[in-house]
């Protein structure tokens, strides 16, 4: 499903260059579950943005479903992202002037889904993350963990086939955090959703079948998780 | 040092009222170290905003150094906050158009400290959180954990006597996260800084002498941490 070959990403800042990714290579089968771990600043979010078609590599190839992502038109890319990929951002990226229902429903609005169907799917997604009693709040009227859960609900509402979660439990207590991780596991095991989770929580990292370790823009290790 | 009596905070939204804090009472001695834990949405950040003089209660009294905070003028409050309190926000609140050095130096700029002294203190604070090689980056040129560390460095630069940290390690890997927590412990034990940390990480919560549990806007438990 996913093939990354010699992926590099550089940022040019005046006379300095930051090499965020230095030749990353791996592939992911449909329906796999994998976690990505590594030190702060090592390139995990940069890699997730590549995977989610939100950023293009400085060099290297990214094939998704056999198609070279770099060759797709902007429109084809946007459509694929909207329909197939659910992305939970590390910094949430909620729209401040819209409430929870509107933020969660956004991917369906873009997909042209009817208002009736949107309402039903949004209410279900909000219920799954425990925010039914906050449906009309705006982001600045929510706690940090509630905002994180809105970002999670929004990523799930279009029933994507690929779920990219960048540190989805960083602002959540143990109980709610595990409910979210178990929800992801169900989506992966029962519905075949391909699951990629970046996390700093080593307990969360143990719940996936495979783990990739990134250090300084390179894959240091890529192995099956040993059962605890 | 800190005395909270029957602190309540309500948010009025149309015909509904959210009771974020429902009568919180506790006191903190100078030089104490305590953690605040509890479910997402239970009122921890709201309480931190009260403690940091960034928000006023709907009712109840907050005495800081024997002074009723509610009776202080805006200017007196702002000055006390700037000189005595270091606040690490759950969502960082960095200024997007300024780089790391400028963001970290802001509290000293407000305090009227000379440019020479600011530069020295800022470089030291940035060094302590491991960001010396990112000094000229702007927030959108940083990883999530790097932004969190800028927020931490900024809270420390004025050498505050009270450090309020709202989920300071949520975006950090184990190694860097523990460096930060040990830094806080040193400030508390060696320099008598009063330390209050909100955290979802139970390992971090064990590092303070005392723990307060908040559930649904009320203190459920307030006890000395048993040694592991
Ligand atoms: N401006 C507001 N208007 C209405 N409700 C609000 C507002 N700000 C916060 N709330 C509500 O107050 C409650 C407490 O929020 P608070 O941010 O203190 O929670 P928290 O314990 O810090 O949660 P988390 O662990 O998720 O960060 C939440 O349920 C939230 O929805
Ligand atoms: N726009 C940019 N310009 C320059 N450097 C950047 C830019 N964006 C990111 N970087 C740098 O690229 C590196 C990788 O960033 P990335 O966000 O992928 O890290 P990360 O592994 O997700 O870290 P964290 O665990 O802290 O979230 C970081 O060192 C960061 O400073
Ligand atoms: Mg990141
Ligand atoms: Mg909070």
């Amino acid at each position: 499903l996913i093939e990354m070959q010699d992926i590099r990403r550089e940022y040019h800042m005046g006379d300095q260059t930051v090499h965020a990714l230095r030749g990353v290579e791996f592939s992911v089968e449909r329906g796999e579950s994998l976690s990505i771990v590594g030190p702060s600043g090592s390139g995990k979010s940069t890699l997730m943005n590549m995977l989610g078609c939100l950023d293009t590599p400085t060099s290297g190839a990214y094939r998704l479903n056999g198609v070279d992502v770099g060759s797709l038109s902007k429109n084809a890319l946007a459509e694929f992202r909207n329909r197939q990929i659910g992305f939970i951002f590390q910094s949430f990226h909620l729209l401040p002037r819209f409430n929870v229902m509107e933020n969660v429903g956004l991917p369906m609005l873009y997909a042209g889904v009817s208002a009736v169907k949107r309402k039903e799917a949004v209410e279900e997604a909000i219920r799954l993350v425990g925010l039914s009693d906050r449906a009309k709040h705006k982001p600045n009227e929510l706690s940090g963990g509630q905002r994180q859960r809105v970002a999670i609900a929004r990523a799930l509402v279009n029933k994507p086939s690929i779920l990219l979660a960048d540190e989805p439990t960083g602002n959540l207590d143990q109980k709610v955090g595990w409910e979210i991780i178990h929800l992801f596991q169900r989506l992966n095991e029962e519905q075949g959703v391909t699951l990629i989770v970046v996390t700093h929580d080593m307990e969360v990292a143990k719940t996936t079948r495979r783990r990739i370790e990134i250090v300084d823009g390179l894959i240091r290790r890529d192995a099956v998780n040993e059962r605890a």
Side-chain angles (χ1 to χ4, degrees), chain A:
Chain A
L1 178 64
I2 285 171
E3 262 189 78
M4 292 213 140
Q5 291 172 357
D6 200 36
I7 294 287
R8 293 169 193 275
R9 181 65 166 99
E10 290 163 17
Y11 295 104
H12 295 280
M13 310 185 60
D15 55 346
Q16 285 201 332
T17 300
V18 173
H19 299 274
L21 297 176
R22 299 166 189 263
V24 166
E25 304 235 328
F26 67 100
S27 53
V28 181
E29 303 294 316
R30 188 175 289 287
E32 271 205 68
S33 96
L34 86 99
S35 49
I36 299 178
V37 301
S40 170
S42 57
K44 306 178 298 297
S45 296
T46 304
L47 179 59
M48 289 293 264
N49 289 339
M50 297 293 162
L51 288 167
C53 306
L54 294 158
D55 187 21
T56 44
T58 309
S59 65
Y62 174 27
R63 301 184 75 78
L64 190 50
N65 258 340
V67 177
D68 174 13
V69 168
S71 70
L72 290 176
S73 71
K74 267 190 168 262
N75 284 345
L77 208 56
E79 175 141 343
F80 187 92
R81 241 180 15 232
N82 175 259
R83 302 296 169 93
Q84 303 282 342
I85 299 175
F87 203 121
I88 301 162
F89 296 92
Q90 186 171 7
S91 59
F92 318 157
H93 291 321
L94 304 182
L95 300 184
R97 294 201 218 121
F98 296 93
N99 67 29
V100 172
M101 304 257 323
E102 292 161 335
N103 265 284
V104 173
L106 210 54
M108 296 191 105
L109 189 64
Y110 285 149
V113 176
S114 74
V116 173
K117 286 214 164 93
R118 279 204 319 268
K119 187 165 184 290
E120 190 177 335
V122 166
E123 284 174 346
E124 172 62 6
I126 289 175
R127 189 191 65 78
L128 279 175
V129 299
L131 289 180
S132 301
D133 59 354
R134 291 286 182 272
K136 298 297 171 67
H137 285 231
K138 295 201 176 63
N140 69 341
E141 296 166 335
L142 294 173
S143 77
Q146 289 167 344
R147 286 175 203 155
Q148 186 155 44
R149 284 183 270 161
V150 175
I152 292 167
R154 182 182 61 188
L156 300 177
V157 80
N158 251 349
K159 302 218 175 305
S161 54
I162 301 170
L163 183 59
L164 303 176
D166 195 347
E167 312 222 27
T169 61
N171 285 283
L172 301 175
D173 56 276
Q174 309 278 325
K175 175 166 178 291
V176 168
W178 282 106
E179 280 169 19
I180 295 297
I181 294 304
H182 292 146
L183 170 60
F184 292 175
Q185 279 181 310
R186 280 201 306 279
L187 290 170
N188 173 250
E189 292 168 5
E190 295 171 18
Q191 299 179 29
V193 172
T194 306
L195 173 66
I196 303 180
V197 182
V198 168
T199 184
H200 281 309
D201 189 328
M202 290 303 118
E203 292 305 311
V204 168
K206 287 180 190 163
T207 64
T208 55
R209 216 182 125 269
R210 170 184 174 198
R211 186 186 316 183
I212 286 179
E213 259 180 60
I214 296 193
V215 178
D216 218 10
L218 281 171
I219 293 186
R220 174 69 63 85
R221 187 166 188 263
D222 180 353
V224 170
N225 251 333
E226 294 119 24
R227 291 288 149 190

